[in-house]
Amino acid sequence: MTMTITGIRAGLVLGSALLAGTALSGAAVAQETVASQPGTAPVLTKVASFEHQVTGVTVGKDGRIFVNFPRWTEDTAISVAELKDGKLTPFPDAEWNAWRNAKKDEVDARNHWICVQSVVADPKGNVWVLDPAAPAMAAVVKDGPKLVEIDLSTNKPARTIAFDETVAPQGSYLNDVRFSPDGKTAYLTDSGASGALVVVDLDSGKARRLLDGDPTTMPDKSVTVTYDGKPLRRPDGRGVEFAADGIALSPDGKTLYWQAIKGKTLYSLPTDALTGWLTSSVVPSALTDKSLSGKVETVGENGPADGLIISRHDGRMYVSAPEENAVKVRDLSAKGGKPTVLIQDPRLRWPDTFAEAPDGTILFTTSHIQDSAFYKPDAPAALPTELWSIKPGPVDATGSTGTSTK
C-alpha cells in the first residue's frame, strides 16, 4: 500500500527509498496504513521506524520533519536529526551532535546537544531545540540546559537561551515547549523531581520558574501508571514519577494547558497571569506561586497522558494515552468533559509527542518507555521506536470544537 501524507513534503515520505522500507541511517520508512474504526477513525500511518528511542518530533512550515533522541539508556550518536529522503541527518550539523557521555569533560556543553527532549517549530518558521542536559534523566550537566533556535533558512543556530540553576536546578528535566503566536514567549514544563512551568521572554532571554512544586505540576500520589494490565515499575519497585510533562497552548495564545504523566488532571491558566514579570523590574505579588496556584483551573480528567497539542485547524486537543496504546481528543469547549478515543492500536506503545503539519496532519512518536531498560533490565540499550501520522477527519468529528484557525 502506498503511503502518502498530503502537504508534508513529498520528498520526505515518498520515493523508492522510503517505500522500500529499508533502514537508512537509523531510520526505516514504512508503508503500513490502518484505520481502526472505519468511517469514524482517521487513517493511521507509520511514517518511519528508528533504531533508537525517539521522543520529540516537529514539522516546519515548509514540511521539513525533525526528530530527537534523548540520552536515556544509551549514549546515542544522533541527538537531533532531520528526516530527509529517508535518512536521519544530524541537525544542524555533526558537531552539535558530537557530545558523548565519556567525553563530558572535553566537550563544551553550551554548544552541543547533551540530552535533547523536544524539538518544536515556532510560528515564524524556525525550529527550537530544548535540551534539559540530564543524561539518563539524572544529574544536570553544568552549562548544559538550553533552548536553541535554529534558523531553517541557513540551518544554523540563531540564538541560544541558557538556563541557570534558578530555572533548571539539579533534579530538573525540562520537557516540552510551546510558543506564543507572536513568537515572543515560550512556555516550558519541567517533569523532573520538582514539577514546574518555565516562562521565557525570547527577546531578552530572561526566564522564570513558576508553580515550582505546586500540586498542579507535581505527580499525583493517587495515580499509579499501568501498562499491559499491571503497575509499571522499575526493578527496585519505583513506579512512574514524571511530573508536569504535556503542554499545549490555545491557538490565540491566551490559555496554557499542562498535566503530569503520573496524573489524571488537565490544568490551565490564562497566559497573561504568567507573563506579568516581563514588564516589571520587581516580581508582582500576583505572580507568586501561591497567587498563581489560586488562578489555576481544572479543565477535566485525561488519565495519565504524555503529549498534548491543540490543532490549528480544528481546535481539538490531542492527548496521548500511553496506558491504552491510544490517541484521544478533547473538546475544549465542553467544560469538565472527558476525552474520547480517536484511535487505538497495540503498536502504539507509549504515544509521546505530537506535531502538526501545515495541512493539519498530526504526527506523533511512540517512545516505548515501558519497554526501556528503566523498567525492563533485559531491554536493549538502543530501543527501536516509531513515528506515526494520523489524518483527522472533518471538523465535526467526535471531540471537535467545530472551530478553525486556518
Side-chain angles (χ1 to χ4, degrees):
M1 183 180 294
T2 301
M3 177 184 68
T4 60
I5 304 178
T6 304
I8 300 179
R9 287 178 61 192
L12 296 181
V13 295
L14 296 178
S16 59
L18 303 189
L19 297 178
T22 304
L24 296 170
S25 299
V29 179
Q31 47 178 323
E32 301 176 36
T33 304
V34 178
S36 65
Q37 301 175 22
T40 58
V43 172
L44 173 67
T45 300
K46 184 191 290 186
V47 177
S49 295
F50 306 111
E51 297 173 0
H52 306 277
Q53 195 167 18
V54 68
T55 53
V57 59
T58 197
V59 185
K61 283 186 174 181
D62 57 0
R64 295 169 66 183
I65 300 175
F66 303 89
V67 290
N68 71 266
F69 305 88
R71 285 188 169 87
W72 281 354
T73 57
E74 62 163 328
D75 197 0
T76 180
I78 297 179
S79 290
V80 181
E82 180 176 1
L83 182 59
K84 186 175 183 180
D85 298 326
K87 298 179 181 179
L88 289 177
T89 303
F91 188 79
D93 54 38
E95 183 56 35
W96 268 87
N97 284 269
W99 171 275
R100 297 294 181 271
N101 288 330
K103 296 183 177 181
K104 175 183 175 182
D105 297 330
E106 305 169 27
V107 182
D108 191 341
R110 294 170 295 183
N111 52 26
H112 291 82
W113 307 133
I114 310 305
C115 180
V116 172
Q117 179 63 21
S118 297
V119 286
V120 181
D122 70 11
K124 297 181 179 180
N126 289 332
V127 165
W128 292 77
V129 179
L130 179 59
D131 186 356
M137 289 186 275
V140 175
V141 173
K142 189 180 186 312
D143 297 327
K146 54 190 172 290
L147 183 63
V148 181
E149 180 187 21
I150 309 295
D151 186 338
L152 293 189
S153 67
T154 63
N155 291 331
K156 295 184 181 299
R159 52 181 159 166
T160 297
I161 297 175
F163 299 125
D164 62 21
E165 291 194 357
T166 66
V167 176
Q170 282 298 333
S172 68
Y173 194 83
L174 300 177
N175 195 290
D176 207 350
V177 57
R178 294 292 180 264
F179 297 94
S180 61
D182 61 9
K184 293 183 178 181
T185 310
Y187 304 93
L188 289 67
T189 48
D190 185 340
S191 61
S194 183
L197 301 180
V198 173
V199 181
V200 185
D201 174 42
L202 297 175
D203 288 337
S204 68
K206 294 179 180 179
R208 185 164 184 83
R209 187 177 176 90
L210 301 168
L211 293 176
D212 189 358
D214 188 83
T216 64
T217 61
M218 291 294 286
D220 184 337
K221 293 181 179 180
S222 72
V223 172
T224 298
V225 178
T226 64
Y227 221 105
D228 298 329
K230 56 186 179 182
L232 182 58
R233 298 192 183 281
R234 298 190 182 202
D236 63 5
R238 285 179 295 165
V240 173
E241 295 292 336
F242 303 127
D245 190 302
I247 187 170
L249 187 64
S250 60
D252 62 9
K254 293 183 179 180
T255 307
L256 187 71
Y257 301 84
W258 73 91
Q259 81 162 81
I261 290 182
K262 179 181 163 61
K264 58 187 177 183
T265 308
L266 177 69
Y267 298 102
S268 73
L269 257 178
T271 52
D272 60 9
L274 294 165
T275 55
W277 60 277
L278 296 176
T279 55
S280 174
S281 58
V282 178
V283 178
S285 60
L287 201 62
T288 63
D289 283 346
K290 184 176 180 180
S291 178
L292 277 179
S293 184
K295 296 178 181 178
V296 175
E297 292 189 8
T298 297
V299 180
E301 292 189 359
N302 284 337
D306 194 323
L308 306 173
I309 195 171
I310 299 174
S311 170
R312 298 183 301 268
H313 286 70
D314 62 28
R316 294 188 291 182
M317 173 180 280
Y318 289 78
V319 180
S320 80
E323 289 185 318
E324 302 165 69
N325 303 318
V327 171
K328 298 180 179 181
V329 288
R330 170 177 282 278
D331 180 352
L332 292 170
S333 68
K335 285 284 186 180
K338 293 186 176 181
T340 58
V341 174
L342 182 68
I343 197 158
Q344 189 170 30
D345 189 295
R347 297 170 299 166
L348 302 183
R349 294 189 68 80
W350 205 285
D352 197 311
T353 302
F354 293 106
E356 185 175 22
D359 73 334
T361 296
I362 300 294
L363 284 85
F364 64 98
T365 57
T366 41
S367 58
H368 290 244
I369 287 175
Q370 78 280 19
D371 298 319
S372 71
F374 285 128
Y375 300 99
K376 294 183 178 180
D378 58 348
L383 189 67
T385 53
E386 302 85 25
L387 173 64
W388 303 82
S389 75
I390 48 180
K391 181 64 177 174
V395 293
D396 59 351
T398 299
S400 172
T401 64
T403 61
S404 174
T405 57
K406 286 186 180 179

